[in-house]
C-alpha cells in the first residue's frame, strides 16, 4: 500500500478557479476516472477525475476554496501495483498552494498538515456571490473609504456598496458592524439602496415590485451557468454598440446536397446538419472581410485581425447556454466538422466541457432553426466583434423572372460591433454569406 497525493491537473489558462463541489470524503473508495471535485471558472464547470483506484484517506480542500494547476487536494491509498502503474503522478513538485503559508518542502510529505484552512474560507465570496455580480468593493487608490479584505468580502456577500457606508473605526475605517448597521438601515428604508444594480454605468436600477400582491409567486434561483453567462452578456450589451443586419438565403440546393450525402455520411459515422455548411460559408466570408474576424484593443484604438478561424457554436443544455469552440474550421472538411460538433455537443450536454473547449473563438453562431422563429438579435460574444443568428428555414414562393417557384429560404442575422465594422461592410458580409450558401460551388473558388 502507498499513499498518493492528488493534485489539480492542467486546466488550461486559469490561475485560480473555484471548488464548487467536493464529491468524495475520507473513507470513500474510488475507481480510476471517478469524479473527485467539480471546479468552475468564468467559462465552464469541469470535474477532476481520479488517476488511481483506492481509498480516500484525506481531503484538503472544501467548497469555496480556489485552486490552480498543481494544487494538492487529497490523498488516495492505493495498492503497490496501482501506484507502480502511474509512477509519474508525483514526478515533479507541485507549486505552493496559494491558500497555504507552509514551506514548499511540506508539499512532498504524504500527509501534509491541513494548511489551506489557515485562511478562513468565509473571507472569500462563494461562487454564488461571484456569479451574482455583487459590487466588488476593491480598495482603489484614493478611495474615500477604507476597509480590510475580510470586511470587503463580507460587504460583497451581502451586496453592500462600501462607498455608502460610514466607518466607525480608527481614521474612519469601516468595520463589520458598520456594514451590518448599513444593511439594517436599508432594510428599514432609512438609507439609499446599493448602487450595484447600475453595473457601474450610471444606469438607474430597475425598481423592485412585490409581485405577490397581485397573486401567487414562486422564486427560483438561477443556475450557475445562467448567472455566469448573464454577467458577460450584460457587460457586452453595455460596452458594445450593437448593430444587427437581417437577411435570408436560398438553401434549396445546399439542403438537397446534404440529403444526397446522408447515406455516405452515416457510413462515416457522422450526421450531416446544415450548420456545418454554414460554418464553411462563414469562414469563407471572414476571409473576404477580415474586420469580422478580429477584436478591438483594450483602448479601442486598434483592431487585432486574426489569421486563424475558430467558430463558437452556442449549445442549449439543461443547465443553460454554453459556447464550445470548433478549432481550425478553414482546414477541416464537412465530415471532420460534423465529428467535432457531435463530440462538443455531447460534452456540453454532459457538463464535461473544459476551458480549452470554450476558448479561442473568433466568431460565434447561434442556431435556433431547430426550434422556430423568423429573426432575432443575438448579443455579440465580446471580445469577438460579430455573431450570427440562424432561424428556421421554410419553403416560400420566389419569383425567378418568369414565375414563382418554391424555394427553401433560411432567415439569418448578424450582430456586430459598430466600432469595428461599419454598416456598408456589414451588409456586404451578410450578402456574401448568403451567396455562398445559395451556391456551395463558390466555396472552392
Amino acid at each position: 500500500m502507498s499513499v498518493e497525493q492528488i493534485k489539480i491537473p492542467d486546466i488550461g489558462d486559469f490561475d485560480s478557479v473555484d471548488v464548487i463541489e467536493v464529491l468524495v470524503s475520507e473513507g470513500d473508495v474510488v475507481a480510476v476516472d471517478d469524479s473527485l471535485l467539480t471546479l468552475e471558472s468564468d467559462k465552464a464547470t469541469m470535474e477532476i477525475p481520479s488517476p488511481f483506484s483506492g481509498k480516500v484517506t484525506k481531503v484538503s480542500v472544501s467548497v469555496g476554496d480556489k485552486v490552480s494547476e498543481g494544487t494538492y487536494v487529497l490523498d488516495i491509498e492505493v495498492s503497490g501495483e496501482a501506484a507502480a502503474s502511474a509512477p509519474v503522478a508525483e514526478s515533479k513538485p507541485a507549486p505552493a498552494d496559494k491558500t497555504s503559508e507552509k514551506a514548499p518542502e511540506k508539499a512532498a510529505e504524504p500527509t501534509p498538515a491541513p494548511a489551506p484552512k489557515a485562511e478562513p474560507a468565509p473571507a472569500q465570496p462563494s461562487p454564488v456571490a461571484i456569479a451574482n455580480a455583487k459590487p466588488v468593493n476593491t480598495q482603489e487608490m484614493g478611495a474615500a473609504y477604507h476597509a480590510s479584505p475580510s470586511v470587503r468580502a463580507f460587504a460583497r456577500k451581502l451586496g453592500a456598496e462600501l462607498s455608502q457606508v460610514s466607518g466607525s473605526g480608527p481614521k474612519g475605517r469601516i468595520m463589520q458592524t458598520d456594514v451590518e448597521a448599513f444593511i439594517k438601515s436599508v432594510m428599514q428604508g432609512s438609507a439609499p439602496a446599493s448602487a450595484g444594480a447600475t453595473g457601474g454605468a450610471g444606469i438607474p436600477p430597475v425598481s423592485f415590485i412585490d409581485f405577490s400582491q397581485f397573486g401567487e409567486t414562486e422564486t427560483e434561483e438561477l443556475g450557475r451557468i445562467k448567472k455566469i453567462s448573464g454577467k458577460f452578456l450584460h457587460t457586452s450589451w453595455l460596452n458594445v454598440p450593437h448593430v444587427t443586419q437581417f437577411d435570408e438565403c436560398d438553401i434549396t440546393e445546399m439542403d438537397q446536397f446534404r440529403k444526397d450525402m446522408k447515406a455516405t455520411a452515416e457510413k462515416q459515422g457522422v450526421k450531416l446538419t446544415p450548420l456545418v455548411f454554414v460554418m464553411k460559408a462563414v469562414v469563407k466570408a471572414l476571409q473576404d472581410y477580415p474586420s469580422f474576424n478580429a477584436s478591438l484593443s483594450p483602448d479601442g484604438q486598434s483592431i487585432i485581425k486574426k489569421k486563424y478561424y475558430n467558430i463558437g457554436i452556442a449549445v442549449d443544455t439543461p443547465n443553460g447556454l454554453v459556447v464550445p469552440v470548433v478549432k481550425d474550421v478553414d482546414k477541416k472538411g464537412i465530415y471532420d466538422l460534423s465529428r467535432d460538433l457531435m463530440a462538443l455537443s455531447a460534452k456540453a450536454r454532459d457538463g464535461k466541457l473544459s476551458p480549452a473547449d470554450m476558448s479561442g473563438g473568433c466568431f460565434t453562431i447561434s442556431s435556433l432553426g431547430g426550434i422556430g422563429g423568423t429573426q432575432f438579435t443575438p448579443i455579440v460574444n465580446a471580445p469577438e466583434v460579430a455573431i450570427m443568428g440562424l432561424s428556421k428555414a421554410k419553403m416560400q414562393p420566389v419569383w425567378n423572372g418568369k414565375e414563382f417557384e418554391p424555394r427553401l429560404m433560411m432567415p439569418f442575422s448578424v450582430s456586430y460591433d459598430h466600432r469595428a465594422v461599419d454598416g456598408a461592410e456589414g451588409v456586404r458580409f451578410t450578402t456574401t454569406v448568403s451567396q455562398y450558401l445559395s451556391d456551395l460551388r463558390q466555396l472552392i473558388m
Side-chain angles (χ1 to χ4, degrees), residues 243-250 281-282 285-286 289 292 363 375 386-389 410-416 421-438:
V243 175
T244 303
Q245 177 66 41
F246 299 96
D247 210 328
E248 62 180 2
C249 57
D250 185 343
V282 163
L286 291 177
Y289 299 95
F292 282 83
F363 184 99
Q375 296 277 13
I387 182 173
M388 174 178 284
M410 182 181 71
F412 69 97
S413 56
V414 174
S415 294
Y416 55 85
V421 179
D422 59 33
E425 190 173 20
V427 73
R428 291 190 187 103
F429 179 83
T430 58
T431 300
T432 300
V433 172
S434 177
Q435 291 172 349
Y436 288 150
L437 289 173
S438 298

Side-chain angles (χ1 to χ4, degrees), residues 5-18:
Q5 290 188 340
I6 306 303
K7 299 175 182 178
I8 299 296
D10 181 8
I11 55 175
D13 300 327
F14 293 92
D15 293 331
S16 181
V17 295
D18 291 302

Side-chain angles (χ1 to χ4, degrees), residues 183-198:
I183 293 297
K184 182 178 180 180
S185 65
V186 170
M187 297 298 292
Q188 294 175 344
S190 59
S194 170
T198 67

Side-chain angles (χ1 to χ4, degrees), residues 198-322:
T198 67
I203 301 173
V206 177
S207 300
F208 178 77
I209 299 174
D210 181 8
F211 301 105
S212 62
Q213 63 183 305
F214 307 112
E216 184 180 354
T217 63
E218 179 183 357
T219 300
E220 184 176 293
E221 186 175 1
L222 291 175
R224 290 194 306 270
I225 293 179
K226 282 190 176 181
K227 289 178 181 178
I228 294 171
S229 63
K231 179 180 67 174
F232 284 95
L233 290 171
H234 187 230
T235 299
S236 180
W237 185 253
L238 289 176
N239 287 279
V240 175
H242 282 66
V243 175
T244 303
Q245 177 66 41
F246 299 96
D247 210 328
E248 62 180 2
C249 57
D250 185 343
I251 60 169
T252 308
E253 273 75 30
M254 183 204 80
D255 197 57
Q256 185 59 53
F257 174 72
R258 181 183 67 86
K259 292 176 180 177
D260 293 342
M261 297 299 295
K262 181 179 179 180
T264 304
E266 289 177 348
K267 292 180 181 178
Q268 297 287 331
V270 298
K271 179 181 179 181
L272 282 184
T273 65
L275 186 55
V276 292
F277 296 98
V278 174
M279 292 168 64
K280 295 296 288 186
V282 163
V283 165
K284 180 68 172 173
L286 291 177
Q287 293 170 337
D288 296 339
Y289 299 95
S291 293
F292 282 83
N293 194 51
S295 292
L296 289 171
S297 61
D299 61 5
Q301 301 303 305
S302 305
I303 188 168
I304 304 167
K305 296 184 177 180
K306 302 161 188 175
K307 304 299 183 181
Y308 53 90
Y309 300 90
N310 301 337
I311 304 297
I313 304 296
V315 178
D316 185 28
T317 74
N319 296 320
L321 190 69
V322 293

Side-chain angles (χ1 to χ4, degrees), residues 1-2 52-53 78-87:
M1 290 287 186
S2 65
F52 303 104
S53 296
V78 299
S79 65
E81 180 181 349
S85 65

Side-chain angles (χ1 to χ4, degrees), residues 54-184:
K55 181 180 179 180
V56 177
T57 58
K58 184 174 184 178
V59 178
S60 294
V61 293
S62 58
V63 173
D65 288 350
K66 291 183 178 292
V67 297
S68 58
E69 180 181 351
T71 299
Y72 161 73
V73 292
L74 54 84
D75 289 337
I76 294 181
E77 185 181 79
V78 299
S79 65
E81 180 181 349
S85 65
V88 298
E90 297 296 325
S91 59
K92 58 181 181 180
D97 192 330
K98 294 183 180 180
T99 62
S100 173
E101 297 297 328
K102 289 290 184 180
E105 61 267 17
K106 291 293 184 182
E109 297 179 7
T111 56
K117 302 300 181 182
E119 293 293 335
Q124 297 186 7
S126 68
V128 172
I130 294 173
N132 275 334
K134 298 295 184 185
V136 291
N137 290 322
T138 53
Q139 189 79 48
E140 301 178 280
M141 293 295 293
Y145 59 86
H146 300 279
S148 67
S150 62
V151 171
R152 293 201 301 272
F154 178 71
R156 180 166 59 242
K157 182 177 181 180
L158 296 180
E161 176 56 60
L162 288 181
S163 63
Q164 299 182 22
V165 180
S166 298
S168 62
K171 297 183 179 181
R173 180 174 293 275
I174 297 174
M175 312 299 288
Q176 181 170 320
T177 53
D178 299 325
V179 178
E180 293 171 347
F182 173 76
I183 293 297
K184 182 178 180 180

